[in-house]
Amino acid sequence: MAPDRTGATTVVLSPPPTPNGPLHLGHLAGPYVAADLAVRAARRRGERVVALCGLDDHQNYVPAAARRQNLPVEELRTRNADLIREVFHRADVVHDGFTEPLTDGAYRAAVVEFLEELVLSGALPVEQWQTPVCPDCPGILHHAYVTGRCPGCGEGSGGGTCEGCAGYTPAAALLDPVCTRCGTPATAIRTVRGPVLRLEDHRAALEAAWLRATLPPQARRLAARLLQGPLPTVPFSYPTDWGIELGSIPGHRIDVWAEMGLGYLYSIGQLVEPGATGLAGHLAAWQQVESVWAFLGLDNAFYYLALFPALYAAAGLSAQALGGLVVNEFYLLDGAKFSTSRSHAVWAHEFLATEDPRAVRAFLSWDRPAPLQADFTLEHYRAVTASWQRATPTSAPDPAELARAEAALTLERYDAALAARCLLGAGLQSGGDARADDLLAVLTGDAKAAPQ
C-alpha cells in the first residue's frame, strides 16, 4: 500500500549487491539483515519508514566476472540476480523498493535525464581530466579494471575506494596502477572530457551535514581526512564498455556510483510520490523525506558520506537529509575476509537452504562485525545456536534488558549485537511475554515488515 503522506518519511538504504556472484554470509551479516531489523523496529514504534535496495547491475565487476567464467555477461548477471533475490526471500529481508537497472528502462531514462539536466544547469560542469590508462586495452581504467596501492594506507586497492581505509582511489590516485584485464602497467596517460562533480564546491554543505548526522568513528575519521585538503573532483562518465550510455557524449557511459546517486533521486522520489516526473518533480517529492540512513560496509562510506550528499546539494536539495550511516567492518571466514572473487565464502543461498532462517538472522546479528571485525566459523555457529535451542524460556523477561534491546534498535543508537544479546538469554522463545515476543520477531524475521 502507498505510504501515508501526512508526515515525514525516513528512508533506509542498503547498498545494492553486485551480481558478479551470489550473496555470502558476510553480506548478510553486514548491511542487509541489520537494515531489515532497523526497519522492522521503526515500524514497531509506529514510524513512517521505507526500505530501498536493488541490484548494482552496472558495476564493471559483472563483465569482469563473466570474462573470467567465459559466460555471456547477462547470463551471469541473471543467474546471480536470481540467487540474490532468493536469499532476501529466505532470510525474510523485505524492501519497499528494489531497483534493477539492467531491466528497468524508466530508471535508466531518468538517470540520463537527470544527469543531462544537471550538466545544462552547470551543477555538473564538463571538464577535462587526465588518467593513466592501459596501453593495450580500450577505454578507461576504473573500478574492477585497475588495481594498485592506496596512496593513503598503502594497501592494495581497486579503482574506486580502498577497502582498507575507505579513501577515494581512482586510477589517477593509485600507486603503481595495473590493468586487471591484461596485467599491463598503466603507463600511458589519456585526457578525458566529461561531466564531473566538484565536491570542493559543496564543502560548506558537507561540513554542515556531517556535523548534524549520526556517524560512527570510522566515518568521522574519513570525513576528517577528506577535509584536510581539497575535496576530490569525481568524474560522472567514462569511455568504457559497461553501464548506462550517455548519448550526449559518444562512447561514454555513466559512472556506476554517479548512476546510483542519481538513481536514488529517482527511486526515493517514486517511493514517496508515485508518478513523479522530471528532475523537478522528484526533487519536490524529496521534500517529504525527513532523513536518509544508509547501512553499509566501510569500503562504500565515501559515496554515502560525501559523493551523494554533494550531488544532492548540487541538485538543490539540502545535504541535511543525511540522517546517518550505520557502518560494519569486514566479516571474516576462518580468519580471512569473505571474498566473492576468490570463492572464499559460505554462500547464503546454500546455507539458508539447510538452516533455520530465524537462527541465521539471530546469529548474524549476535555476531555482527561492528564496530570491530568478527570471524565466522561453522563450529561457533553450531555451538551458539544449539545453546539457544537448549535454553528454557522464562515467564518474566527482564524489563531492563528489553529496554536496552529497544534502544539498540533505534537508528541513532543502532547496535544489533547488543540487541541480540539482550533478547537471546532464553534462546529463540520468550516465554509468552508480548513485548519480548515482538522484539524477538524483529530479530528473527517473524514480524511482518510489509512494504508500506
Side-chain angles (χ1 to χ4, degrees):
M1 97 186 133
D4 173 13
R5 298 187 182 86
T6 59
T9 299
T10 297
V11 178
V12 173
L13 305 175
S14 45
T18 304
N20 62 326
L23 290 177
H24 52 61
L25 292 190
H27 293 126
L28 283 187
Y32 299 116
V33 168
D36 187 71
L37 265 61
V39 169
R40 291 171 185 269
R43 289 177 179 162
R44 177 179 176 271
R45 296 188 297 270
E47 299 171 15
R48 295 181 64 252
V49 58
V50 294
L52 179 61
C53 190
L55 294 173
D56 200 5
D57 284 331
H58 291 134
Q59 286 281 1
N60 60 7
Y61 287 89
V62 180
R67 277 193 289 269
R68 286 195 304 271
Q69 299 178 40
N70 196 28
L71 288 173
V73 63
E74 293 198 14
E75 178 182 331
L76 176 130
R77 178 267 179 197
T78 299
R79 182 186 70 193
N80 291 321
D82 290 343
L83 292 174
I84 288 167
R85 288 189 293 266
E86 176 189 334
V87 165
F88 286 148
H89 175 72
R90 285 182 179 272
D92 208 8
V93 172
V94 179
H95 304 108
D96 299 274
F98 194 82
T99 59
E100 299 196 33
L102 201 64
T103 59
D104 189 340
Y107 169 96
R108 295 195 305 275
V111 167
V112 174
E113 176 189 352
F114 293 176
L115 187 149
E116 292 185 337
E117 188 168 335
L118 291 171
V119 168
L120 288 174
S121 73
L124 296 176
V126 176
E127 296 183 350
Q128 288 187 342
W129 47 279
Q130 290 188 320
T131 183
V133 294
C134 177
D136 300 319
C137 297
I140 289 295
L141 295 179
H142 62 114
H143 303 308
Y145 291 170
V146 64
T147 186
R149 291 185 295 113
C150 172
C153 68
E155 294 293 322
S157 176
T161 55
C162 173
E163 289 188 350
C165 69
Y168 177 55
T169 57
L174 290 172
L175 304 176
D176 305 319
V178 173
C179 175
T180 59
R181 289 170 288 181
C182 68
T184 301
T187 55
I189 299 295
R190 181 171 173 181
T191 298
V192 181
R193 181 173 176 82
V196 301
L197 177 62
R198 301 190 199 117
L199 270 65
E200 185 62 32
D201 291 350
H202 307 287
R203 175 180 283 260
L206 289 173
E207 288 179 326
W210 295 344
L211 284 172
R212 177 182 178 274
T214 301
L215 301 175
Q218 313 100 303
R220 291 223 174 265
R221 288 194 291 269
L222 174 59
R225 291 202 311 272
L226 288 169
L227 292 173
Q228 286 174 359
L231 294 169
T233 294
V234 179
F236 263 42
S237 73
Y238 299 112
T240 190
D241 62 349
W242 187 248
I244 299 176
E245 293 185 14
L246 183 58
S248 58
I249 306 180
H252 273 233
R253 296 174 186 262
I254 299 172
D255 173 68
V256 68
W257 290 101
E259 174 204 318
M260 195 180 301
L262 295 163
Y264 282 144
L265 281 178
Y266 169 76
S267 299
I268 293 172
Q270 289 294 313
L271 279 174
V272 298
E273 192 64 56
T277 59
L279 179 59
H282 287 81
L283 294 177
W286 267 67
Q287 300 307 312
Q288 300 180 50
V289 176
E290 181 177 43
S291 63
V292 177
W293 288 78
F295 285 67
L296 64 153
L298 181 61
D299 53 329
N300 290 332
F302 168 78
Y303 302 107
Y304 288 86
L305 176 73
L307 183 69
F308 299 160
L311 172 62
Y312 302 151
L317 288 174
S318 171
Q320 301 295 320
L322 176 63
L325 305 183
V326 179
V327 175
N328 61 271
E329 296 287 345
F330 286 110
Y331 202 33
L332 307 180
L333 172 60
D334 297 325
K337 286 190 297 187
F338 276 82
S339 172
T340 298
S341 61
R342 297 194 307 274
S343 293
H344 180 71
V346 176
W347 301 116
H349 64 283
E350 296 175 351
F351 198 70
L352 286 164
T354 60
E355 301 295 323
D356 178 1
R358 299 171 68 249
V360 173
R361 284 176 59 109
F363 179 82
L364 294 180
S365 301
W366 184 86
D367 202 38
R368 177 171 157 78
L372 301 175
Q373 292 182 347
D375 190 4
F376 178 89
T377 68
L378 188 57
E379 293 77 10
H380 188 211
Y381 169 81
R382 296 278 186 235
V384 170
T385 55
S387 73
W388 295 337
Q389 297 299 328
R390 293 192 300 267
T392 302
T394 62
S395 58
D398 186 343
E401 290 298 283
L402 297 182
R404 292 178 74 202
E406 287 173 326
L409 291 173
T410 60
L411 287 163
E412 294 79 6
R413 302 180 186 177
Y414 192 84
D415 187 339
L418 174 60
R421 283 165 168 76
C422 291
L423 294 172
L424 292 171
L428 296 175
Q429 304 297 324
S430 70
D433 181 277
R435 184 181 177 195
D437 281 341
D438 282 349
L439 288 167
L440 273 172
V442 167
L443 184 69
T444 61
D446 290 344
K448 296 303 179 187
Q452 294 183 349

